[in-house]
Amino acid sequence: MGFALSSCKRKVEVELAEYTPLSKSVEEFSAAAQWAYEIEADRLSKKIDSFEAVSKSVPLSPLVVAALEGGAPMASVYPALDGFGSLDTSSMQGELLEIVKTFCLDMLEYSQSAADYEKYQAALKAQKKSASSQAPSGEDSSAPEENVPQKDSSKIDAAFASESIFSLAMFLADSSAAGVLKSFVIGRPFVGEELIEVPVRWTGQKQILHTKLYPVQAGESWKIQQIEIYKSEANDGNVKTDGN
């Protein structure tokens, strides 16, 4: 009987010797871990006894602090369009934003005038053909008209850098498939150290065009260096990507 008790006692002593306290494991793990740099280490311990907007004679109670936070200006919220993105243009100010807006507005005007010009030319051609078949041989029945539509691109040309005007010519040719451009929206730009990319979505009679404008600073003013169509949406919802 004594032998059995002695055997159990030794077994318990061995198990207790191999047991490692949880606190010791945590200490070893903590000592070996590589911790990140602590940001604002004194944030919780720092004593804040005054605010700029509150007199020092006013005791800082939890209610006062809550009132201050409630009156703080909230971050601006900007609308967004599905498939296009945010319309936040706050990172573009002054002449940069102005040149983008001016170009877009002038582009709408040009698109309408170009359509009127083409329509007029087609009607004039049909009229001349009909008149020539009825007039005596050698007689020209056409007469000069007033208020003839003009296809003048001088305004949008002026917004472009002279060395990259070919990019505008390509855009005018490719965007004609969208019909007359009726409106536009400017999206949130990407502003890098060497590149500014401004998304613009145009709504035309036949298609919606997604484009990117690349403005550059030319001396003291801004110019558009390039414009490309990267996606178009037909009225039936079909999407076509473009690599211009």
Side-chain angles (χ1 to χ4, degrees):
M1 186 70 175
F3 175 78
L5 290 174
S6 177
S7 177
C8 291
K9 184 178 181 181
R10 285 198 301 270
K11 183 177 181 182
V12 171
E13 289 177 350
V14 171
E15 289 179 351
L16 290 176
E18 293 178 351
Y19 171 73
T20 302
L22 183 60
S23 59
K24 183 177 180 182
S25 299
V26 172
E27 290 177 359
E28 293 176 352
F29 176 80
S30 178
Q34 294 183 356
W35 299 99
Y37 175 74
E38 187 175 5
I39 300 175
E40 298 186 9
D42 61 340
R43 183 174 180 85
L44 296 178
S45 60
K46 184 169 60 175
K47 182 179 179 181
I48 301 176
D49 54 9
S50 65
F51 281 93
E52 183 177 349
V54 181
S55 172
K56 291 186 177 181
S57 62
V58 178
L60 287 182
S61 65
L63 184 60
V64 171
V65 175
L68 285 172
E69 293 180 349
M74 297 180 63
S76 300
V77 178
Y78 296 90
L81 292 178
D82 290 341
F84 180 66
S86 171
L87 305 185
D88 174 14
T89 59
S90 60
S91 59
M92 288 194 303
Q93 298 296 334
E95 293 184 5
L96 173 56
L97 181 58
E98 191 63 28
I99 188 63
V100 173
K101 284 184 176 179
T102 299
F103 169 75
C104 292
L105 289 170
D106 290 342
M107 184 62 211
L108 296 186
E109 182 181 337
Y110 170 80
S111 179
Q112 182 63 61
S113 65
D116 293 341
Y117 176 83
E118 296 296 341
K119 184 178 180 180
Y120 171 81
Q121 291 297 326
L124 183 62
K125 184 177 180 180
Q127 180 183 356
K128 286 183 176 181
K129 184 177 180 180
S130 176
S132 62
S133 62
Q134 298 177 9
S137 179
E139 181 179 342
D140 185 5
S141 59
S142 61
E145 298 183 15
E146 296 181 355
N147 300 323
V148 176
Q150 299 296 316
K151 190 177 180 180
D152 184 9
S153 64
S154 58
K155 288 185 178 180
I156 53 177
D157 290 348
F160 258 72
S162 57
E163 68 274 10
S164 57
I165 200 70
F166 180 72
S167 176
L168 175 61
M170 291 290 292
F171 172 70
L172 296 181
D174 295 338
S175 64
S176 61
V180 177
L181 300 179
K182 295 295 186 180
S183 63
F184 67 89
V185 290
I186 303 172
R188 179 167 55 196
F190 168 78
V191 181
E193 294 183 359
E194 299 180 356
L195 175 70
I196 299 177
E197 182 181 88
V198 184
V200 179
R201 193 181 83 160
W202 311 81
T203 300
Q205 287 179 322
K206 302 176 182 178
Q207 293 180 347
I208 296 175
L209 303 178
H210 294 253
T211 66
K212 293 178 182 177
L213 272 64
Y214 297 89
V216 293
Q217 196 161 17
E220 298 182 355
S221 61
W222 287 88
K223 297 287 185 179
I224 308 298
Q225 186 177 53
Q226 184 180 356
I227 179 171
E228 63 170 334
I229 302 172
Y230 66 90
K231 184 173 69 174
S232 61
E233 303 175 24
N235 289 336
D236 57 6
N238 292 330
V239 177
K240 176 185 176 183
T241 57
D242 200 331
N244 285 348

